[in-house]
Amino acid sequence: MISLDIESLFTNVPVSETIDIILRQLYPQDNVIYQGFSKSDFHNLLKLAVEDSYFSFNNKLYRQIDGMSMGSPLGPLFANIFLSHYESEWIQNCPVKPLFYRRYVDDTLWLLPIDSDVSVLMNYMNTRHSNMRFTYESESNDCIHFIGLTITHLTENNRHKYLTSVYRKPTSTSLFMNFNSFVPLMYRLSVFKCLVSRAIQLCSTWNLFHVEIDNVRSMLLRNAYPSFLLDRIVKNAVSSFLNPNVKFGPQKERLYIGLPFLGKSTDSLRKSIKEICKQFIPNKDIIIYFKPGRRVSNFFRVKDITPFELRSRVVYEFSCVSCQANYVGQTTRHLRHRIAEHEGVSHLTGKVMKSQSHSSIRDHSLLCNGCNCSTSNFKILSTGKSDLELLIKERLLIKDRKPSLNGNVGSFELFLN
């Protein structure tokens, strides 16, 4: 058994080549229409989605030249499409034929004949594509680790047998959410439930499951979890596995209710709400979740500051340096887009637009000597999470600041005395 891993797969996926692969699969002929898109339209849509990626680092903007950006929702999809297109061809022509082959994203498991030369396989795989570089790990003491699994190879009476169990890296700290943490009880118990469920799914024998549960119990006991609760959860999980409760019929519509967590009183309120809802709206499946309060990350900045021009969902103010005239507005887009509209130019090219929307700022800058409609004349007053919040804040700030270029009129009417 060997495991092959692709070095930095996402950032090495050839984007243009993968787009061509997608288009060949979806459009065997040029006149085919897929989901309302022609081949050229879909091609432009894919290029826009994956080739126009920007990120900031140390207050500088960068454009990704090739490869999928880390964190992009299309990253795993493009990686899978690219590898799925080539892997059957690579394996078919491989000088070392695998008896068994499985892949999960960039990790592959190979079961090879005993007399196989791994160096031949690696030389072959590393010459398949200029962007792909493979490393490998061989089994040690009849064991190999593969994506959270320990696979053990046994030979009994000339018959091969494989056992699976949970694998943890040597760097695992065994630290989990402490049972005394100020979080809902259901969240604390879900830690252990998840670990038990993982053991049931990955352990191939009850003996291996028993060993894994002992390991999990010892770890959670060190994190202050009560022993009786752990035993109860294991018993319920095993019972549900052996006697699954299959529900038939239409599923109830889920209704989600968010509550701030305030300790034991919140747990009591949760039970009361569920009992009331069960009585008055029995056709709904009530899911009550708890909203997090302030976290440590709220007090520290862990990411680069978003550049001023790239901030969105803001209420902004324009101030004329010549006559002190001002204007308050709001935008859901990048601020530079809105500033460019006030200037009457394209935010992409900087060229004057043929069709320009009305702008009080632009009208003023044409009449006022010394007025310059540039980024330095704008500042951000507030931000909003929703369109309604932005409109309300804009109107309140207009009422408070009385900007001369607005005429004290906003885009949202408030009934204020």
Side-chain angles (χ1 to χ4, degrees), residues 87 127-128 200 205 225 247 277 311 318 352 355:
E87 67 181 347
T127 57
R128 293 307 89 198
I200 291 176
T205 67
Y225 280 72
K247 295 182 179 180
C277 292
R311 293 185 62 180
F318 165 82
V352 177
S355 58

Side-chain angles (χ1 to χ4, degrees), residues 105-153:
V105 191
D106 58 343
D107 292 303
T108 56
L109 180 66
W110 299 61
L111 180 60
L112 304 176
I114 297 177
D115 57 349
S116 299
D117 189 342
V118 178
S119 62
V120 174
L121 171 63
M122 294 304 298
N123 289 333
Y124 170 80
M125 293 300 295
N126 281 320
T127 57
R128 293 307 89 198
H129 197 282
S130 58
N131 287 42
M132 298 292 106
R133 287 292 176 269
F134 292 83
T135 59
Y136 80 97
E137 177 186 352
S138 298
E139 66 177 83
S140 176
N141 298 325
D142 296 325
C143 292
I144 193 170
H145 307 302
F146 181 72
I147 315 178
L149 274 176
T150 295
I151 305 174
T152 305
H153 178 203

Side-chain angles (χ1 to χ4, degrees), residues 297-308:
S297 59
N298 296 132
F299 301 95
F300 301 94
R301 188 177 297 278
V302 295
K303 293 184 178 180
D304 284 347
I305 300 175
T306 303
F308 175 77

Side-chain angles (χ1 to χ4, degrees), residues 328 330 387-399 406 408-416:
V328 172
Q330 58 83 24
D387 294 348
L388 179 60
E389 183 179 347
L390 276 178
L391 292 171
I392 292 174
K393 286 186 175 182
E394 178 200 33
R395 191 67 182 91
L396 290 174
L397 286 167
I398 289 175
K399 185 175 181 62
N406 288 81
N408 202 26
V409 176
S411 53
F412 189 77
E413 187 63 32
L414 292 177
F415 298 97
L416 299 176

Side-chain angles (χ1 to χ4, degrees), residues 64-171:
Q64 185 145 345
I65 298 175
D66 198 10
M68 297 300 298
S69 56
M70 296 301 295
S72 168
L74 290 176
L77 179 62
F78 266 58
N80 271 320
I81 289 174
F82 173 77
L83 290 177
S84 297
H85 176 75
Y86 282 110
E87 67 181 347
S88 58
E89 175 189 336
W90 293 348
I91 294 174
Q92 183 178 357
N93 300 324
C94 184
V96 181
K97 293 292 189 296
L99 302 175
F100 178 86
Y101 171 85
R102 286 293 183 273
R103 177 179 63 84
Y104 181 78
V105 191
D106 58 343
D107 292 303
T108 56
L109 180 66
W110 299 61
L111 180 60
L112 304 176
I114 297 177
D115 57 349
S116 299
D117 189 342
V118 178
S119 62
V120 174
L121 171 63
M122 294 304 298
N123 289 333
Y124 170 80
M125 293 300 295
N126 281 320
T127 57
R128 293 307 89 198
H129 197 282
S130 58
N131 287 42
M132 298 292 106
R133 287 292 176 269
F134 292 83
T135 59
Y136 80 97
E137 177 186 352
S138 298
E139 66 177 83
S140 176
N141 298 325
D142 296 325
C143 292
I144 193 170
H145 307 302
F146 181 72
I147 315 178
L149 274 176
T150 295
I151 305 174
T152 305
H153 178 203
L154 301 178
T155 304
E156 298 177 356
N157 301 324
N158 294 325
R159 298 184 64 182
H160 297 279
K161 183 179 181 181
Y162 296 90
L163 303 179
T164 60
S165 58
V166 175
Y167 169 69
R168 288 183 182 82
K169 293 183 178 181
T171 55

Side-chain angles (χ1 to χ4, degrees), residues 367-386:
L367 298 174
C368 180
N369 293 328
C371 181
N372 183 19
C373 181
S374 63
T375 304
S376 60
N377 298 105
F378 288 82
K379 67 178 180 180
I380 294 175
L381 300 178
S382 185
T383 60
K385 296 181 180 179
S386 65

